[in-house]
Amino acid sequence: MIINGKNPLSGEIKVSGAKNSAVALIPTAVLAKTKTVIYNVPEISDIEYLIQIMEMLNCKIEHKDETLYIDSSNLINKPIPEELSVQMRASYYYMGALLAKFHRVEISFPGGCNIGARPIYIHIKGFEELGAKVEIIKNRYIITAEKLVGKKIYFDFPSVGATINVMLAAMGAEGTTVIENAAMEPEIVNVASFLMNMGAKIRGAGTKKIEIEGNNNLDNGIIEVFPDRIEAGTYVIIGALLGSPLKINGVIKEHIEALLMKLKEIGVEYTLVKDSVIVNKCENIKPTNIKTLVFPGFPTDLQQPMTTLLTQAQGKSIVEETLYENRFQNTYDLNNMGALTSIISMSKLEIDGPRVLKGKNVIARDLRGGASLLIAGLIAEGVTKIDNCEVILRGYGDVVNKLNSAGAKIEIIE
Ligand code: EPZ
């Protein structure tokens, strides 16, 4: 990705469907007896891989105008091979879905950004609590159950993936499952709404306690993917640096409240008009401290984009990353561009500003780290070249056209 920096950005950018909702909604569709429809699906590579898995399971899928028409009438349970499961972390949602549907699932280890160990013991423990047996043979999970029986499950940590995965598995259990200390991210509400639209009885999605009635007669679900709160937040951050002004359309402001509060605190001015955010370049950004937390706290996925913004603040900021153990990899490349950041402990980064950034050849090492380098390239003097930019395209659909239509100068060369 080649970026010519320092172009003011104005006009409108439309937020696409949320990656982290869509990648859970597609595996959820296997629970339907026949047809489901998923609207507002983002155009990103993860979706293509999930469609390949669905077709491998003998689902019929039509993908038209950001909508998926899925027919799982002739679903066949098959082992999910490594070349597909390793493409993303979210392939693990087939565990809960196929366990519920067939009481058996075989799948190779999931992939995902290398931002930490990312174990899935909370998912596994949840399946075992419901009565499943989990074996790990080489790099494959084999999960089987004679019977799944609902019960109260307490999560050591409010894991987003485990909450969705155990909610899916609980659909195949007899009786009621209660998840205590559940994650509250909007993605969970999106999936629960889809299941309820298929006839499921679920209470408390979006809170710390979720009650799920087992149900083997789910069918005919229709759902719309929420707007992507992380994509929206990333463009709002870009607007705070280059907006003249930039209007971001299709935002659920409750989903980015923590970011908006923080931006107001550091002096960024924005206006909220219906489902849009209009933001202007902030000439005098104050330093601040940020601690990433589970929803509704400051989202870890916006930590790296926010770090780039803070390289322009008038003074020292501290960012504490509490969700992942390796989510500062973008700082090597940011410092190479002239930023002044230093990792002062396993989870703490210090950012000194303001610093002039200069275009350099850098590498995107993970999705949101890549986004932080894209933002750096937009504000840097000269030309920035980002290698491995595919990782950015995984989470930001049509990002080059969206930004160029607002005045950026970005191109992708093979
Ligand atoms: C989802 O990952 C998102 N990915 C992540 O977004 C996001 O950062 C994360 O939620 C937190 O919001 C998808 O939805 C596909 P977790 P997930 O389980 O479900 C540890 C992006 O950039 N943990 O809440 O994997 C885990 O290692 C991606 O879009 C365990 O230790 O997140 C991590 O440190 C990156 N054991 C922390 O909890 C478990 O069994 C949060 O993980 C499960 C998780």
Side-chain angles (χ1 to χ4, degrees), residues 16-23 40 42 44 187 190 225-229:
S16 304
K19 165 178 88 80
N20 293 345
S21 282
V23 297
N40 196 32
I44 50 178
E187 296 79 82
N190 220 171
V225 181
F226 278 156
D228 194 317
R229 59 197 173 95

Side-chain angles (χ1 to χ4, degrees), residues 286-359:
K286 297 188 200 70
T288 185
N289 294 342
I290 289 181
K291 182 172 185 172
T292 63
L293 294 167
V294 296
F295 194 85
F298 192 93
T300 174
D301 294 349
L302 286 176
Q303 177 261 103
Q304 292 157 295
M306 193 68 185
T307 294
T308 303
L309 175 64
L310 293 173
T311 66
Q312 305 306 305
Q314 310 286 331
K316 242 191 232 329
S317 301
I318 301 278
V319 168
E320 187 178 358
E321 172 55 68
T322 70
L323 275 298
Y324 291 101
E325 57 271 33
N326 184 24
R327 205 167 198 174
F328 295 139
Q329 294 177 84
N330 53 311
T331 57
Y332 308 122
D333 298 277
L334 281 180
N335 290 349
N336 180 13
M337 294 175 73
L340 197 54
T341 74
S342 46
I343 299 173
I344 51 179
S345 80
M346 252 288 265
S347 63
K348 277 190 183 165
L349 178 73
E350 187 178 88
I351 305 155
D352 208 345
R355 300 283 296 178
V356 172
L357 301 188
K358 294 200 180 342

Side-chain angles (χ1 to χ4, degrees), residues 2 54-55 59 99 113 140-141 151 156 170 176 190 199 241 247 267 275 297 312 336 379 396 406 409:
I2 312 284
M54 296 297 271
E55 287 171 340
C59 279
L99 180 61
C113 290
R140 300 179 65 67
Y141 290 98
K151 66 179 289 193
D156 299 352
T176 306
N190 220 171
L241 286 161
K247 185 166 187 261
D275 68 346
Q312 305 306 305
N336 180 13
I379 61 173
Y396 294 92
K409 289 193 176 25

Side-chain angles (χ1 to χ4, degrees), residues 19-20 89 92 118-119 122 159-161 301 323-324 368:
K19 165 178 88 80
N20 293 345
R89 184 158 175 78
Y92 61 26
R118 305 181 83 179
I122 302 174
S159 151
V160 173
D301 294 349
L323 275 298
Y324 291 101
R368 308 300 172 183

Side-chain angles (χ1 to χ4, degrees), residues 23-37:
V23 297
L25 291 166
I26 295 169
T28 299
V30 310
L31 287 175
K33 282 188 176 326
T34 62
K35 291 191 167 58
T36 52
V37 182

